[in-house]
Amino acid sequence: MYLMRIGAPGAEKPVVRVDEAHYIDVSDVTPDFDERFFGSGRIALLADRVARGDVRAFDGERVGAPIARPHQILCIGLNYSDHAAETGQAVPDEPILFTKSPNTLIGPNDDVRIPRGSTKTDWEVELGIVIGRRTSYLDSVEEARDCIAGYLVVNDVSERAFQMERGGQWSKGKSAETFNPAGPWLVTPDEIADITNLGMWLDVNGVRRQTGTTKTMIFDPYVIVHHLSQFMVLEPGDLINTGTPPGVGMGHDPQIWLQPGDVMELGIDGLGRQRQRVVGPR
């Protein structure tokens, strides 16, 4: 299934996408795709609701993030071998973990706002994982498969000067408002033949800047979920950003940074595409 949330910010309704033009409203099953929904196992009820029909046509509604604001957004750094190479850093022995403020979450086509004082705002197309049940101390990597509700496209927007030149944790450069566009869909695992073989891309102003594949991930989604479960409790609906392939602005020579008026377009095979306009500080 392809789960979506459509409507104005703060008033999105949960739907299941049927095709490019149609959806089924499932707000009679759940008021939202949130921690309570994923934790209660109600995702299994959606198939019956979809089978009953009542198909509606999209009518220009805003597309929100496909999940409500999560308990936490966890991020994995330097998780693509070719991205590590472009930054000149060694391939990590274990996943590099940092966090991102949950209130960075926005829809896939909402504006991205450059924060005040920014000089180095950057882009990162990423595969996102949504956790499907409360998870801790998994005994094996294989167990992680049953803990994943689905996958989605994420743009892990970053401010590199805040991240690397201002001391402290990477989170400082990751947590500005609008810095986590997500969606358009949450795709359940049964719809994806091989999560470790998906093409991914990102354009800025019509110029291809990132081209990659999940084949070059150092730690695949199952390894990541298993690893994180050894250090923390993962809650239903938690979002994990799993790293980016090469081609970020920081990796170009000369480096390229986002400016007001720029347009980012990005996508992952089978998971949909996003489009964001970059706007200046408020």
Side-chain angles (χ1 to χ4, degrees):
M1 288 183 290
Y2 296 77
L3 280 55
M4 300 178 67
R5 296 166 68 247
I6 59 175
E12 297 94 342
K13 66 180 179 181
V15 306
V16 173
R17 175 184 180 271
V18 176
D19 55 35
E20 288 288 340
H22 301 93
Y23 70 89
I24 294 174
D25 185 342
V26 294
S27 53
D28 55 341
V29 176
T30 180
D32 210 346
F33 295 140
D34 54 11
E35 179 178 351
R36 185 179 216 177
F37 166 75
F38 292 110
S40 66
R42 274 183 280 180
I43 194 168
L45 301 177
L46 293 183
D48 289 340
R49 177 65 187 85
V50 169
R52 285 188 272 126
D54 191 19
V55 176
R56 304 180 186 183
F58 288 111
D59 190 25
E61 299 94 341
R62 168 186 172 270
V63 178
I67 59 171
R69 183 182 296 181
H71 173 259
Q72 58 187 345
I73 299 177
L74 303 170
C75 305
I76 306 300
L78 295 177
N79 193 35
Y80 283 71
S81 55
D82 38 6
H83 174 53
E86 80 169 340
T87 65
Q89 300 183 68
V91 171
D93 295 325
E94 291 193 7
I96 297 172
L97 172 66
F98 61 95
T99 62
K100 192 162 191 166
S101 177
N103 65 4
T104 58
L105 189 71
I106 60 171
N109 305 314
D110 292 343
D111 291 345
V112 166
R113 186 174 295 281
I114 293 176
R116 292 183 189 181
S118 169
T119 57
K120 298 180 179 180
T121 301
D122 203 351
W123 57 81
E124 294 189 8
V125 60
E126 303 202 7
L127 173 71
I129 301 169
V130 173
I131 296 298
R133 63 175 175 85
R134 200 165 195 262
T135 301
S136 62
Y137 298 122
L138 293 175
D139 290 327
S140 68
V141 170
E142 187 63 29
E143 277 187 88
R145 292 177 182 269
D146 295 331
C147 303
I148 295 173
Y151 300 94
L152 68 166
V153 182
V154 169
N155 189 355
D156 180 17
V157 185
S158 309
E159 212 299 335
R160 303 301 187 188
F162 295 177
Q163 178 184 355
M164 298 179 176
E165 301 170 18
R166 299 291 297 272
Q169 300 293 318
W170 283 7
S171 301
K172 289 168 64 174
K174 298 284 187 172
S175 293
E177 61 179 329
T178 74
F179 265 26
N180 206 94
W185 321 310
L186 176 69
V187 182
T188 53
D190 59 291
E191 300 280 359
I192 303 167
D194 183 359
I195 198 62
T196 64
N197 188 23
L198 301 180
M200 50 204 309
W201 57 273
L202 183 145
D203 296 345
V204 180
N205 299 329
V207 178
R208 181 61 45 92
R209 294 301 186 187
Q210 286 189 274
T211 302
T213 170
T214 56
K215 281 183 179 180
T216 66
M217 292 179 83
I218 299 164
F219 306 106
D220 70 32
Y222 314 120
V223 171
I224 290 170
V225 171
H226 171 263
H227 180 80
L228 295 181
S229 79
Q230 308 307 306
F231 303 98
M232 65 188 72
V233 177
L234 303 175
E235 299 288 356
D238 279 357
L239 174 60
I240 305 171
N241 297 343
T242 62
T244 196
V248 297
M250 177 177 63
H252 285 271
D253 185 14
Q255 294 175 326
I256 305 168
W257 309 116
L258 291 169
Q259 304 295 328
D262 286 346
V263 174
M264 295 180 285
E265 297 177 274
L266 57 147
I268 299 178
D269 293 349
L271 303 185
R273 59 189 294 156
Q274 304 183 357
R275 184 182 190 275
Q276 296 107 35
R277 182 173 62 102
V278 180
V279 299
R282 61 180 174 86

